[in-house]
Amino acid sequence: MEDKVNLLDLDAEELERFLAALGQEKFRARQIYQWLHKGIRNADEMTNLSKGLRQRLDEVAYIGKLNVANKLVSRLDGTTKYLFELNDGNLIESVMMLYKHGVTACISSQVGCRMGCSFCASTGAGFVRNLSAGEMLDQVLSIQTDSGKRVGNVVIMGIGEPLDNYDNIVKFLRLVNHPDGLNIGYRHISLSTCGLVPEIIKLSRENMPITLSISLHAPNDEIRGQIMPVNRKYSIDKLLEACKIYTEVTKRRLTFEYAMISGVNDSRENALELAGRIKRMLCHVNLIPVNTVSGTSYKKSNRQNINLFRGILEGYGIETTVRRELGSDINAACGQLRRNTVVVE
Ligand code: SAH
């Protein structure tokens, strides 16, 4: 399998070139692209191709397929967490959330993560490898196939740091947006990053009007440095400067994610300091009561603190929402995804 190409990894132009090398015309590439993005995994089911071409495809390529190793459905809200096995046996998790406005797929970008945030489960077992663009697309396709529902929104907020896998992420975004494929608009896609400054600036120039979310989680370098090692490389000032470039170039409002951790980052002073830093930015703040992760002692802020924090930010004219916690009974909420099997009783 190793020397064969995974057809899901090819963008439309690459597929054209691949087919041209097999002596095939452009329209064949388009037909195959459409089949692949419908979730067809077998060249034999591509009924508008000749038998000869189907056989040839089997000889020179393969179609990657995630195996559903486990599936948990939340009794609270129908959120479904998938444990997918990749072709090489590695495991990742993805989540399907049901909102009034449609189905959202939360996908992983890496096997494990090397960012080391102290409150996040995804980083616990270390980093193994990047996911290819096709493996990210496959998470969306597999969720659609398994659930029978059409995915309308994609959030890259699962395991991994997407901007640490830059080229594959950008390729994936083009794949899901392609009109011959899933055709999901950039405005229906959110990407969350812990704050890799050079890549945020690079992303601003890709001409992709996605929603960028920044995992900020602290009002100053002292606190952020304690809970997010990435802050030792890129300070909050540098990060906010990159965010300003991003909003100026794209004209898109960005989201700051802020996990509320009792006694760590949720005081009145913390809110005032945060407001002072971001009040003139084109942004929105999403407060997330921190989810419990085994191996950490962090506790959720109480409702009163969260409301006070929110009130202070709003007093400075900063739009603030509190994230609904979906799938918490199946460990499918923010920061609870990991690359190994966890037994939930
Ligand atoms: N690496 C990217 C993508 C992960 S997205 C990033 O850092 O943004 C997952 C989101 O959940 C991030 O905002 C992350 O900081 C947040 N998160 C991680 N652990 C959490 C926890 N225990 N409770 C609430 N949110 C958490």
Side-chain angles (χ1 to χ4, degrees):
M1 196 100 99
E2 276 87 62
D3 49 342
K4 288 191 187 179
V5 59
N6 177 1
L7 292 178
L8 286 177
D9 277 332
L10 304 183
D11 64 28
E13 292 73 35
E14 287 170 337
L15 194 60
E16 266 177 26
R17 268 181 266 136
F18 188 78
L19 269 292
L22 301 179
Q24 298 291 327
E25 289 180 63
K26 266 189 182 182
F27 78 97
R28 288 288 176 214
R30 186 161 185 220
Q31 287 174 327
I32 295 169
Y33 192 90
Q34 288 169 337
W35 284 117
L36 291 170
H37 290 240
K38 272 192 192 124
I40 294 297
R41 305 303 181 139
N42 203 326
D44 237 15
E45 291 171 51
M46 301 185 178
T47 47
N48 51 6
L49 308 184
S50 70
K51 217 164 170 98
L53 177 55
R54 291 187 230 164
Q55 268 167 9
R56 190 85 186 99
L57 280 179
D58 274 341
E59 285 161 20
V60 294
Y62 72 101
I63 307 171
K65 188 178 183 326
L66 300 179
N67 172 34
V68 182
N70 198 7
K71 188 168 109 172
L72 294 169
V73 184
S74 165
R75 266 175 242 143
L76 304 174
D77 48 52
T79 298
T80 305
K81 180 166 81 163
Y82 291 92
L83 180 72
F84 285 125
E85 184 188 350
L86 302 162
N87 276 9
D88 66 358
N90 275 306
L91 298 168
I92 51 163
E93 292 188 317
S94 319
V95 182
M96 177 181 76
M97 293 165 290
L98 310 173
Y99 290 106
K100 277 196 210 82
H101 59 267
V103 176
T104 295
C106 174
I107 67 149
S108 292
S109 55
Q110 297 179 316
V111 180
C113 185
R114 55 178 153 204
M115 295 298 126
C117 300
S118 64
F119 46 83
C120 181
S122 299
T123 217
F127 173 77
V128 180
R129 69 169 175 88
N130 282 327
L131 294 185
S132 71
E135 287 171 327
M136 292 186 255
L137 174 71
D138 202 352
Q139 295 171 59
V140 184
L141 295 175
S142 297
I143 287 177
Q144 287 200 152
T145 305
D146 182 82
S147 68
K149 296 187 196 329
R150 189 183 173 276
V151 169
N153 303 283
V154 173
V155 298
I156 308 162
M157 298 192 180
I159 300 166
E161 168 47 49
L163 297 187
D164 187 35
N165 184 11
Y166 189 87
D167 292 342
N168 290 338
I169 274 290
V170 167
K171 187 175 194 184
F172 161 72
L173 293 171
R174 298 220 157 90
L175 287 177
V176 271
N177 176 252
H178 197 283
D180 283 336
L182 293 174
N183 198 14
I184 298 177
Y186 287 126
R187 287 181 162 73
H188 294 273
I189 301 174
S190 297
L191 181 150
S192 180
T193 176
C194 65
L196 302 186
V197 163
E199 284 77 14
I200 291 172
I201 296 171
K202 209 164 148 196
L203 185 66
S204 72
R205 305 199 185 104
E206 299 283 356
N207 208 6
M208 291 176 163
I210 57 166
T211 301
L212 183 65
S213 293
I214 305 286
S215 296
L216 192 58
H217 304 321
N220 58 45
D221 287 326
E222 201 195 329
I223 301 177
R224 197 164 192 267
Q226 278 166 20
I227 57 178
M228 299 180 71
V230 68
N231 199 74
R232 294 173 212 153
K233 190 156 184 199
Y234 304 113
S235 66
I236 295 193
D237 278 344
K238 284 203 191 116
L239 174 58
L240 294 184
E241 224 172 274
C243 290
K244 279 181 197 146
I245 294 174
Y246 188 87
T247 53
E248 273 159 26
V249 175
T250 64
K251 309 280 181 262
R252 301 277 299 154
R253 182 175 80 157
L254 53 79
T255 301
F256 288 116
E257 290 160 291
Y258 196 104
M260 300 282 293
I261 314 175
S262 178
V264 173
N265 63 359
D266 66 342
S267 71
R268 196 174 164 274
E269 290 68 37
N270 296 154
L272 287 167
E273 191 174 2
L274 177 65
R277 287 190 110 127
I278 63 171
K279 65 186 173 207
R280 273 186 272 280
M281 293 179 66
L282 182 60
C283 70
H284 157 255
V285 173
N286 196 206
L287 300 175
I288 316 164
V290 79
N291 292 302
T292 37
V293 165
S294 61
T296 72
S297 53
Y298 296 131
K299 288 198 179 56
K300 276 185 209 309
S301 307
N302 62 37
R303 268 286 138 187
Q304 207 183 338
N305 274 17
I306 296 175
N307 287 337
L308 199 76
F309 205 94
R310 177 185 190 164
I312 292 173
L313 296 180
E314 285 176 342
Y316 280 84
I318 302 163
E319 195 188 313
T320 306
T321 47
V322 180
R323 182 171 292 179
R324 256 178 78 204
E325 297 157 72
L326 293 177
S328 50
D329 58 333
I330 53 166
N331 280 330
C334 300
Q336 295 185 316
L337 304 185
R338 46 178 91 224
R339 66 176 181 83
N340 44 10
T341 326
V342 218
V343 183
V344 178
E345 46 307 317

